[in-house]
């Protein structure tokens, strides 16, 4: 929307050679002539313009109609005296069959730019479209405007209203009224059916109280069932719209149209899909919108390009039902579903949680069950990836559901793809840990898979390939499981860490360095739990590629969140005060700390609070504990994280000497989260009064939060 101003309009009326520009200004909705000056100055400028010799009676009517249109369309841009001005000049609202006050109060208004094609050119003109549930209208369009429409155009307007009501059954009690921004009785007529699509979009939007964004225009005939039909003169229309609009929605039946500079052509086949796309429009994403228009019609394009558009778009159109046909195509095709599953797994592995959750929501659970017969391996992989996603967010009930679904398919998976079955156990163990269920016994099925993979590994090793990634990852998960089971299993933790590092290529394949180094992280945590500070220090230094802990500060700028979490835990447990202080100062100013940081930054903040305590900086300790609590209790995280809030709450308890108000407010939520774990791990703790529970965690945090859960 451009600010023109009534005073500038007066200037144009007095300027020679500006008549064409003056006319175009009056025809444009986006050239606002209301302005925030004194009401007296505006009234004076209005009367000067209206009675200028540059204006015929016809053009004076257009000026009033433009003021009325802007008043209805942009209430937020009106000066505070606008209502008084409209009452002082009642003729401005003469084009309405009801009072201006009612039009502003009862209707939701949208502008609908349309393209009028003449003998050799095309021009953009506007309709103003409103919908109201509490206001009767004598007709859809006023008599003064009907004369400027041929029979086809008038029929398209009436059909647009009927179509909008049929597509929006929940909003079909809205009464629609519209008028064109053209002079009363002026020259020029709207002809043909191509204004059907822009009018239908404006009607649907106004019925739903949605504002159509500026920057978009549409052309196309529309059937009563919402199907968009081809129109003529697309190249001429594109040229008329270029420079004023970023996107034009046109009938897919027209095929590929020749592009014009500065405008993107987006084909649509139904009015409903057009509205879904229009609501997603923003100038910076217009090219992605054109891609998305193809995706919502073709399952192949959808799967292949799912990473090329904002995932929020997919969520929105799915919720509106615009993806139902594509989802059915994917679910009915084992090949297409396998492709989607592969992309889903990749997103989960990369911790791209937002996009991964979008894909998870695509396929209804009932369809997953039907695909057990047609695509059992893909269904298993889909369930396993969902298990991983749920446990990453600490959503215990969701993880349990997907673990059950996966277990029912594991025999089929093992027959088709042993590695997928092995991956399931990686996620299975982590899901158990999220429930605070720490058991050293390994499932019999896992022993069978391990036996097969180890035989494969021996053959590979003999052939000169010392790396077996799936086996190494499985060893690493078993190492982690023993780490959670406590110091009594330190030997098993060390054993499986060594096995994992070897199978993941330690010292042989640099590309897998991140994989095998993770085991050093696990071993360091286990050694800290067992009180083996020298061994923990050795593992920490190997993990961080340093020779001594005092070199931690040299790595701060390029450390991962996992490296920071371990460094803070080590320094809080056993760090030299000088090193701890240097790290606290440097890392505290650079590392992401807000609630959006997620795991493991709630533990990093908790241990930073502990470091601040050892440095006798209680105010900063309180701040760190508070940040940790904010992350633990954030809405996007599940029960696993919420329970961890007891750690920083115990820190506040140590400083205050009593539970503070924050602890009391969170205690019920935390106890509910403990119940969701579905086992008796926290039975004793949650039965205690809050103060005693915090005291227990203060005395023995490792009892409740072992390994890398603190």
């Amino acid at each position: 929307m451009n600010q023109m101003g009534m005073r500038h309009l007066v200037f144009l009326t007095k300027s020679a050679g500006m008549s064409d520009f003056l006319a175009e200004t009056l025809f444009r909705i986006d050239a606002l002539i209301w302005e925030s000056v004194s009401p007296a100055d505006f009234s004076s400028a209005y009367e000067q313009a209206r009675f200028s010799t540059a204006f015929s009676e016809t053009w004076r009517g257009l000026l009033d109609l433009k003021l009325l249109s802007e008043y209805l369309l942009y209430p937020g841009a009106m000066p505070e005296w606008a209502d008084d001005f409209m009452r002082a000049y009642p003729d401005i609202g003469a084009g309405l069959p009801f009072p201006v006050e009612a039009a502003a109060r009862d209707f939701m208004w949208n502008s609908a730019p349309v393209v009028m094609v003449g003998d050799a050119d095309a021009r953009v003109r506007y309709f103003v479209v409103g919908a109201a549930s509490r206001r009767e209208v004598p007709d859809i369009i006023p008599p003064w405007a009907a004369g400027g429409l041929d029979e086809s155009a008038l029929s398209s307007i009436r059909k647009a209203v009927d179509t909008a009501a049929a597509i929006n059954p929940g909003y079909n009690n809205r009464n629609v009224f519209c008028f064109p921004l053209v002079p009363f009785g002026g020259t020029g007529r709207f002809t043909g059916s191509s204004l059907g699509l822009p009018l239908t979009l404006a009607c649907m939007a106004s019925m739903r109280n949605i504002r159509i964004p500026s920057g978009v225009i549409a052309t196309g005939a529309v059937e009563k069932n919402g199907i968009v039909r081809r129109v003529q003169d697309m190249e001429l229309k594109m040229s008329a719209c270029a420079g004023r609009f970023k996107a034009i929605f046109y009938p897919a039946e027209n095929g590929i149209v020749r592009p014009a500079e500065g405008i993107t052509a987006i084909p649509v086949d139904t009015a409903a899909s057009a509205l879904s796309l229009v609501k997603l429009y923003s100038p910076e994403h217009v090219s992605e919108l054109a891609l998305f228009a193809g995706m919502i019609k073709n399952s192949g394009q959808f799967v292949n390009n799912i990473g090329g558009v904002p995932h929020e778009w997919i969520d929105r159109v799915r919720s509106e039902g615009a993806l139902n046909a594509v989802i059915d195509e994917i679910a009915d095709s084992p090949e297409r579903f396998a492709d989607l599953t592969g992309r889903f797994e990749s997103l989960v592995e990369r911790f791209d949680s937002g996009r991964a959750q979008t894909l998870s929501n695509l396929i209804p659970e009932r369809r997953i069950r039907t695909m057990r017969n047609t695509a059992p391996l893909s269904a298993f992989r889909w369930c396993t990836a969902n298990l991983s996603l749920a446990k990453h967010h600490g959503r215990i009930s969701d993880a349990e559901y997907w673990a059950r679904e996966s277990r029912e398919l594991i025999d089929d998976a093992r027959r088709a793809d042993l590695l997928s079955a092995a991956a399931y156990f990686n996620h299975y163990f982590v899901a158990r840990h999220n429930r605070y269920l720490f058991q050293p016994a390994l499932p019999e099925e896992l022993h069978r898979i391990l036996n097969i993979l180890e035989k494969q590994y021996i053959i590979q090793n003999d052939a000169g390939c010392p790396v077996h990634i799936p086996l190494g990852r499985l060893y690493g998960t078993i190492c982690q499981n023993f780490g959670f089971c406590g110091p009594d299993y330190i030997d098993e933790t060390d054993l499986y860490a060594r096995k994992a590092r070897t199978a993941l290529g330690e010292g042989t394949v640099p590309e897998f360095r991140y994989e095998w180094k993770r085991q050093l992280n696990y071993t360091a945590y286990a050694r800290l739990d067992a009180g083996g500070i020298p061994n923990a220090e050795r593992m920490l230094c190997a993990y961080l590629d340093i020779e001594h802990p005092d070199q931690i500060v040299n790595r701060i700028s390029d450390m991962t969140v996992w490296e920071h979490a371990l460094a803070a835990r080590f320094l809080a447990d056993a760090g030299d005060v000088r090193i701890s202080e240097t790290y606290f100062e440097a890392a505290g100013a650079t590392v992401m700390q807000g609630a959006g940081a997620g795991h493991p930054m709630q533990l990093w903040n908790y241990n930073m609070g502990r470091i601040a305590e050892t440095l006798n900086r209680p105010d900063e300790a309180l701040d760190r504990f508070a940040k940790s609590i904010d992350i633990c209790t954030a809405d996007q995280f599940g029960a696993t994280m919420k329970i961890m809030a007891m750690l920083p709450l115990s820190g506040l308890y140590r400083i205050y000497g009593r539970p503070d108000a924050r602890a009391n407010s969170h205690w019920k939520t935390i106890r509910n989260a403990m119940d969701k774990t579905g086992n008796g791990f926290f039975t004793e703790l949650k039965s205690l009064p809050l103060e005693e529970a915090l005291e227990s965690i203060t005395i023995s945090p490792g009892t409740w939060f072992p390994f890398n859960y603190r």
Side-chain angles (χ1 to χ4, degrees):
M1 185 168 56
N2 302 311
Q3 183 70 51
M4 176 68 67
M6 184 66 75
R7 291 173 300 173
H8 186 70
L9 195 69
V10 171
F11 168 77
L12 294 178
T13 65
K14 298 176 180 179
S15 303
M18 297 298 289
S19 58
D20 289 344
F21 184 73
L22 174 61
E24 192 59 29
T25 298
L26 293 175
F27 279 120
R28 291 187 64 156
I29 284 288
D30 56 348
L32 196 67
I33 56 176
W34 286 88
E35 58 182 327
S36 295
V37 295
S38 72
D41 287 347
F42 189 82
S43 296
S44 174
Y46 166 68
E47 294 186 5
Q48 288 182 60
R50 199 171 192 281
F51 296 106
S52 166
T53 55
F55 275 9
S56 64
E57 189 61 35
T58 297
W59 291 100
R60 291 184 188 111
L62 180 59
L63 171 61
D64 286 348
L65 202 58
K66 180 170 171 58
L67 281 169
L68 172 64
S69 300
E70 293 177 3
Y71 177 76
L72 297 176
L73 287 167
Y74 309 120
M78 292 297 103
E80 59 183 13
W81 43 260
D83 294 344
D84 294 335
F85 179 86
M86 294 296 286
R87 284 190 288 270
Y89 295 92
D91 287 350
I92 293 176
L96 298 176
F98 34 74
V100 171
E101 293 86 349
R105 181 187 65 240
D106 298 339
F107 285 77
M108 170 65 189
W109 296 93
N110 269 290
S111 65
V114 301
V115 189
M116 295 175 64
V117 177
D119 295 334
D121 65 350
R123 292 161 291 169
V124 175
R125 294 293 181 258
Y126 290 85
F127 274 78
V128 180
V129 182
S133 58
R134 301 196 306 265
R135 172 65 54 177
E136 295 292 331
V137 297
D139 197 0
I140 294 169
I141 193 162
W144 63 263
L149 302 159
D150 72 0
E151 190 60 35
S152 179
L154 187 58
S155 174
S156 293
I157 293 174
R158 299 191 184 283
K159 191 185 296 182
V161 177
D162 292 341
T163 301
I167 294 174
N168 295 273
Y171 303 91
N172 56 13
N173 63 333
R174 308 295 201 268
N175 296 308
V176 174
F177 179 79
C178 67
F179 60 88
L181 182 57
V182 294
F184 291 8
T187 59
R189 286 170 61 82
F190 293 94
T191 61
S193 59
S194 65
L195 50 74
L197 180 57
L199 266 293
T200 302
L201 289 173
C203 289
M204 288 194 295
S206 292
M207 286 177 173
R208 296 186 184 190
N209 289 324
I210 295 170
R211 175 74 69 185
I212 291 180
S214 60
V216 301
I217 191 169
T219 184
V222 176
E223 302 287 353
K224 284 190 176 180
N225 60 3
I227 300 297
V228 179
R229 297 301 186 191
R230 67 178 293 116
V231 293
Q232 303 298 318
D233 304 309
M234 272 306 302
E235 290 187 15
L236 201 58
K237 292 177 179 179
M238 290 277 287
S239 298
C241 297
R244 287 182 59 178
F245 299 92
K246 294 289 186 182
I248 180 170
F249 293 84
Y250 76 97
E253 282 190 354
N254 276 79
I256 299 174
V257 300
R258 181 181 298 176
E261 186 175 355
I263 189 169
T264 298
I266 301 176
V268 293
D269 50 15
T270 68
S273 64
L275 182 62
S276 293
L277 294 167
V278 166
K279 290 191 297 181
L280 300 176
Y281 168 82
S282 63
E284 61 272 17
H285 288 302
V286 67
S287 60
E288 292 97 324
L289 195 60
L291 173 65
F292 195 54
M295 291 171 59
I296 64 175
K297 294 186 294 185
N298 183 286
S299 61
Q301 287 188 41
F302 182 86
V303 173
N304 291 335
N305 295 290
I306 206 160
V309 298
H311 68 87
E312 295 86 357
W313 289 3
I314 299 173
D315 290 327
R316 287 183 62 178
V317 298
R318 178 189 58 80
S319 68
E320 295 169 357
L323 282 179
N324 289 348
V326 164
I327 290 170
D328 286 342
E329 282 183 26
I330 294 171
D332 290 339
S333 167
E335 296 80 11
R336 196 77 77 214
F337 180 59
D339 289 344
L340 181 69
T341 300
R343 295 177 187 277
F344 179 35
E345 289 172 324
S346 177
L347 292 171
V348 173
E349 289 174 4
R350 299 202 311 264
F351 299 104
D352 190 347
S353 297
R355 194 173 294 275
Q357 190 62 57
T358 291
L359 264 64
S360 173
N361 295 338
L362 273 180
I363 310 296
E365 292 169 8
R366 58 179 176 79
R367 294 306 305 265
I368 299 298
R369 296 191 188 98
T370 64
M371 283 187 280
R372 291 179 175 185
N373 296 323
T374 58
L377 177 59
S378 295
F380 173 78
R381 290 167 52 205
W382 183 268
C383 294
T384 302
N386 270 288
L387 168 60
S388 177
L389 182 63
K391 55 92 175 171
H392 180 66
H393 284 281
R395 298 196 304 263
I396 290 174
S397 59
D398 288 347
E400 279 294 291
Y401 171 82
W402 290 112
R404 288 194 303 271
E405 294 293 303
S406 300
R407 278 198 299 272
E408 292 181 10
L409 290 164
I410 196 167
D411 288 339
D412 292 324
R414 189 179 65 251
R415 285 191 292 269
D417 183 1
L418 185 67
L419 301 185
S420 291
Y424 159 74
F425 279 103
N426 283 325
H427 303 311
Y428 161 79
F429 272 115
V430 177
R432 290 206 317 186
H433 302 156
N434 283 356
R435 294 175 53 216
Y436 294 84
L437 185 59
F438 311 125
Q439 297 173 338
L442 304 181
E444 198 59 41
E445 179 66 23
L446 176 58
H447 279 295
R448 287 196 291 270
I449 292 174
L450 269 176
N451 186 46
I452 297 169
L453 293 179
E454 286 172 341
K455 289 177 180 177
Q456 287 182 353
Y457 185 43
I458 291 171
I459 296 171
Q460 281 187 205
N461 222 349
D462 289 343
C465 178
V467 175
H468 195 301
I469 296 298
L471 179 60
R473 288 175 177 170
L474 200 52
Y475 281 150
T477 301
I478 296 171
C479 160
Q480 190 179 19
N481 185 64
F482 281 123
F484 274 115
C485 290
D488 289 345
Y489 295 91
I490 189 66
D491 291 339
E492 289 84 352
T493 304
D494 283 342
L495 172 64
Y496 279 95
R498 289 194 301 272
K499 284 175 174 280
R501 285 157 57 189
T502 300
L504 293 170
E506 181 180 21
T508 59
V509 183
E511 287 83 352
F512 301 139
R513 188 167 178 271
Y514 176 78
E515 295 268 8
W516 62 257
K517 282 190 68 178
R518 187 186 300 133
Q519 319 313 313
L520 299 171
N521 177 292
Y522 296 157
T523 311
Y525 276 111
R527 288 293 175 182
L528 286 171
D529 269 14
I533 301 303
N535 282 329
E537 180 179 313
R538 184 167 56 85
M539 292 296 114
L540 169 75
C541 290
Y543 181 55
L544 296 181
D545 289 319
I546 58 177
E547 295 180 358
H548 189 273
D550 63 7
Q551 296 173 336
I552 291 175
V553 293
N554 300 331
R555 287 269 341 268
I556 283 177
S557 62
D558 64 352
M559 285 166 65
T560 67
V561 291
W562 310 103
E563 290 172 329
H564 275 294
L566 177 58
R569 165 72 186 280
F570 176 83
L571 293 173
D573 278 14
D576 176 274
V577 172
R578 177 183 55 83
I579 300 172
S580 296
E581 186 168 25
T582 304
Y583 177 80
F584 185 86
E585 294 285 352
T590 58
V591 179
M592 183 178 181
Q593 303 158 31
H599 181 71
M601 298 314 290
Q602 82 283 13
L603 299 176
W604 178 80
N605 273 293
Y606 163 66
N607 285 308
M608 287 287 277
R610 293 176 61 214
I611 292 172
E613 283 186 282
T614 64
L615 299 176
N616 195 28
R617 295 160 73 163
D619 289 343
E620 290 169 281
L622 291 172
D623 180 62
R624 291 294 165 187
F625 292 143
K627 285 182 169 66
S628 178
I629 293 167
D630 288 343
I631 299 174
C632 290
T633 58
D635 291 340
Q636 66 263 39
F637 301 123
T640 308
M641 292 272 278
K642 286 180 170 53
I643 294 169
M644 288 181 187
M646 289 298 286
L647 287 166
L649 287 172
S650 71
L652 298 182
Y653 171 74
R654 285 193 301 274
I655 294 174
Y656 289 129
R658 55 178 173 73
D660 73 332
R662 178 175 285 219
N664 286 302
S665 67
H666 287 305
W667 183 222
K668 182 178 179 180
T669 300
I670 293 169
R671 291 172 69 186
N672 289 338
M674 290 174 176
D675 288 336
K676 291 179 181 178
T677 62
N679 61 73
F681 186 77
F682 289 108
T683 299
E684 179 185 345
L685 188 67
K686 69 187 182 68
S687 68
L688 298 174
L690 175 57
E691 186 166 355
E692 292 182 27
L694 294 173
E695 181 69 24
S696 177
I697 292 171
T698 298
I699 294 171
S700 182
T703 300
W704 307 108
F705 299 96
F707 193 50
N708 59 6
Y709 270 17
R710 76 175 192 282

